[in-house]
Amino acid sequence: VHKSKGLEFKIVFLIAATDSAFPGRRRGEVKIPKELLKEPKSFTQATHEAEMRRLFYVACTRAKEELYISYPLEVTATGRPIKRSRFIDELADAIDLPLIRAEVSASSQINVGALAAARAAEAVFLKTARGNDSYINDIEDESYADIVAKELADYFNFKKSRALISATDKAAVLKKFDDIIGRLINSPYSQVVKAEQFTAVILNKASESLAESGEAASKPVSYLDFLPVNEAGGMTLSVSDIILYQKCPLAFKFKYIYQIPMVPSPEADFGIFIHNVLQRFHSAYPRSEATLEKLLSIYDKGVKVRRLGRTTAEKQLIDKGRHALQLYLPDFLAAEGEPVFFEREFNWRIKNHRIRGRVDRADKLGDGTYELIDYKSGKSWQPKQIREDLQLSIYSLAVRQSWEIEPTLLSYYFLMENKKMPALRTPEELEVAQALVLSACEDILTEKFAPKVDFINCQYCDCRVLCPATEV
């Protein structure tokens, strides 16, 4: 409601206008120094109610032609009836407002607990399952009811997938959730929802088991058909796949088997853009022809093509990116080694497995050996994180075989801070890294996908709404 100030709409729906929301209870004592106030003010419940009455007025006056105020009649979990907002009564008395009880058919009623659960997941969906732009585009030609129905159905599909992971009676789970989704959505969305990519795999597997016998729960489901298994019977993975599995096997399962889209943060997306700018610059100009004007020209064109700068956050990122490139180029021109490879791919064979990746930059040193450099667009790491990170260790092992060169230096280049930090690796540490890669590949083949609980990683994981570990 606060964000609607100054806006107007032809029709406005003010939903959930209960007394617990308007006015609700004041949230504790607000202490403001008296010298900051024009006149003394007592923050009491009466003061809070007056503030909320003004907010309710703002909501109501956003409507140009029609205003619909609604509130639920169901009793709460405590058994107490839900009271409508006292402001509705005040408004009804003032303008003779008609109060109409809406009759809802039994077939269209939705479980109150399910709605509450869906509301709890709302923030997650808006940030992960749908990007802001695509979400806005999606809803332009849809009614509000359609939008709510789709979001609820998405939520129950997530819940259905999670329930099927550990369910013993998959037939019962499918029946229960399909019944809920069927009551949530009518044609055409009912068919679309069942075909959503992130549930298609598990639903197909469950259906196949049910078709083969009436005892789906007794048959374990294998996911090998949905994993990147090569002709030699091993895994074909990227370096980022290995790192994701090391971080959390269950997150790897969600990505590859359920194919749940992972939405990058604006900062991560901008980091990819910076990588692309450098790739295009270095592929177009050798070091002898590289100038800041040419680099910033590619950068500015990329900003326009991607239509960046529409928000304050994007404008700040653009300024930081430009400043970072201005610092990067002089260091690049003065580098002791000769840059010879940019964004070069490798394909590492380790037993029957294949690990593919791409090195951002490789400089040939004076002694004929090489320095591998990986660009990072985020904040610089602590020494412990650099020491434990697996990425450059894999690069070092891979290029020895794939490129037949000898890397003696490994470095992370944090572009936004113009800081290059060495990542020294002993032969023993490289052996440990190789063993970790082999172990990850074998564990994936044997379908070991237990969640790895970590406070920081779990907090920012795209799959946290699905993960059973978050319910512990």
Side-chain angles (χ1 to χ4, degrees):
V1 176
H2 284 285
K3 292 182 180 180
S4 70
K5 291 181 179 178
L7 303 177
E8 287 186 323
F9 307 92
K10 184 177 179 180
I11 303 173
V12 168
F13 294 89
L14 180 56
I15 62 174
T18 64
D19 210 51
S20 60
F22 287 104
R25 296 182 179 179
R26 68 189 181 96
R27 300 180 178 179
E29 185 71 20
V30 180
K31 296 182 179 179
I32 300 178
K34 292 183 179 179
E35 56 269 21
L36 296 181
L37 297 173
K38 292 182 179 180
E39 55 186 52
K41 191 172 185 179
S42 175
F43 290 92
T44 63
Q45 177 63 26
T47 305
H48 169 76
E49 185 172 324
E51 294 286 350
M52 294 303 293
R53 184 178 287 105
R54 281 190 283 271
L55 190 61
F56 186 82
Y57 172 81
V58 168
C60 293
T61 54
R62 298 310 92 199
K64 290 183 178 179
E65 298 181 9
E66 298 180 28
L67 169 66
Y68 295 89
I69 306 174
S70 64
Y71 57 91
L73 297 175
E74 292 89 346
V75 297
T76 64
T78 60
R80 292 178 297 179
I82 297 177
K83 296 181 179 179
R84 64 171 175 255
S85 171
R86 66 195 69 177
F87 302 149
I88 294 178
D89 295 324
E90 294 176 4
L91 189 59
D93 293 339
I95 61 174
D96 193 23
L97 182 71
L99 299 179
I100 302 172
R101 175 167 180 158
E103 296 297 334
V104 182
S105 63
S107 61
S108 64
Q109 289 182 355
I110 302 173
N111 181 272
V112 175
L115 281 172
R119 292 192 191 103
E122 179 184 6
V124 175
F125 280 115
L126 293 181
K127 291 181 181 179
T128 58
R130 300 171 183 269
N132 288 335
D133 289 341
S134 62
Y135 181 76
I136 293 171
N137 293 334
D138 284 345
I139 68 175
E140 284 181 347
D141 299 323
E142 298 172 344
S143 71
Y144 181 79
D146 288 338
I147 300 163
V148 173
K150 286 182 69 175
E151 291 301 326
L152 286 173
D154 284 349
Y155 172 75
F156 280 109
N157 265 311
F158 276 123
K159 294 290 287 186
K160 177 167 60 176
S161 298
R162 183 162 60 180
L164 283 169
I165 292 171
S166 57
T168 55
D169 190 349
K170 289 184 170 57
V173 170
L174 287 172
K175 184 178 184 304
K176 177 181 178 181
F177 279 94
D178 285 343
D179 178 60
I180 293 173
I181 293 170
R183 285 188 284 121
L184 279 172
I185 294 186
N186 296 318
S187 181
Y189 292 127
S190 57
Q191 297 304 315
V192 175
V193 168
K194 292 181 182 179
E196 286 285 7
Q197 190 177 29
F198 53 75
T199 57
V201 171
I202 196 165
L203 290 176
N204 289 340
K205 275 296 176 183
S207 299
E208 291 168 7
S209 297
L210 286 169
E212 292 171 6
S213 71
E215 301 176 354
S218 64
K219 290 191 174 183
V221 177
S222 173
Y223 300 111
L224 290 180
D225 292 340
F226 307 100
L227 290 171
V229 180
N230 58 41
E231 67 282 356
M235 298 300 301
T236 298
L237 300 169
S238 68
V239 176
S240 59
D241 297 336
I242 294 290
I243 293 174
L244 176 60
Y245 185 83
Q246 287 290 325
K247 183 180 293 185
C248 180
L250 186 57
F252 177 92
K253 180 181 182 180
F254 285 145
K255 178 180 179 181
Y256 278 98
I257 296 177
Y258 300 154
Q259 299 185 21
I260 297 172
M262 307 291 181
V263 181
S265 66
E267 291 76 16
D269 195 45
F270 188 79
I272 295 172
F273 167 63
I274 291 290
H275 273 70
N276 293 339
V277 168
L278 290 175
Q279 178 186 10
R280 188 167 296 182
F281 173 71
H282 288 308
S283 62
Y285 305 106
R287 185 157 67 165
S288 58
E289 300 178 13
T291 65
L292 182 61
E293 182 181 3
K294 293 174 181 177
L295 176 57
L296 294 182
S297 174
I298 294 175
Y299 179 75
D300 291 337
K301 288 179 181 178
V303 168
K304 290 181 179 179
V305 169
R306 293 172 66 96
R307 298 174 63 190
L308 297 174
R310 290 173 291 179
T311 66
T312 301
E314 285 184 354
K315 291 177 182 177
Q316 292 174 346
L317 285 174
I318 292 171
D319 291 341
K320 289 180 180 179
R322 174 180 288 275
H323 181 67
L325 294 178
Q326 290 171 340
L327 296 177
Y328 165 83
L329 190 65
D331 284 2
F332 169 73
L333 296 176
E336 294 182 6
E338 177 66 25
V340 290
F341 301 129
F342 295 101
E343 298 289 338
R344 185 178 179 182
E345 296 180 350
F346 62 78
N347 196 330
W348 179 29
R349 299 182 179 182
I350 174 171
K351 291 192 176 180
N352 61 334
H353 307 293
R354 303 289 183 270
I355 309 299
R356 51 185 171 77
R358 180 180 295 176
V359 178
D360 290 335
R361 173 177 151 193
D363 292 2
K364 189 173 184 179
L365 305 177
D367 59 359
T369 62
Y370 291 80
E371 177 184 13
L372 305 183
I373 301 172
D374 185 68
Y375 294 137
K376 298 292 184 186
S377 57
K379 294 181 180 179
S380 58
W381 294 349
Q382 295 297 320
K384 182 177 183 293
Q385 188 175 0
I386 290 178
R387 187 171 61 253
E388 295 176 352
D389 190 69
L390 200 57
Q391 184 174 357
L392 280 179
S393 298
I394 296 177
Y395 285 4
S396 180
L397 292 165
V399 301
R400 281 177 165 86
Q401 179 194 96
S402 186
W403 299 354
E404 297 182 348
I405 66 171
E406 183 66 28
T408 55
L409 291 178
L410 308 172
S411 300
Y412 288 108
Y413 199 126
F414 296 92
L415 294 167
M416 294 302 182
E417 301 177 22
N418 193 41
K419 182 186 296 185
K420 189 167 76 169
M421 303 181 70
L424 303 177
R425 297 290 187 268
T426 65
E428 293 77 17
E429 288 173 327
L430 292 177
E431 288 181 8
V432 171
Q434 180 166 320
L436 287 173
V437 172
L438 275 172
S439 176
C441 292
E442 295 299 328
D443 286 347
I444 293 171
L445 277 176
T446 54
E447 303 182 35
K448 295 180 180 178
F449 299 119
K452 184 180 290 185
V453 180
D454 179 272
F455 176 76
I456 295 178
N457 290 337
C458 291
Q459 185 177 3
Y460 298 101
C461 179
D462 286 337
C463 303
R464 61 190 178 277
V465 70
L466 280 171
C467 183
T470 62
E471 296 184 347
V472 177

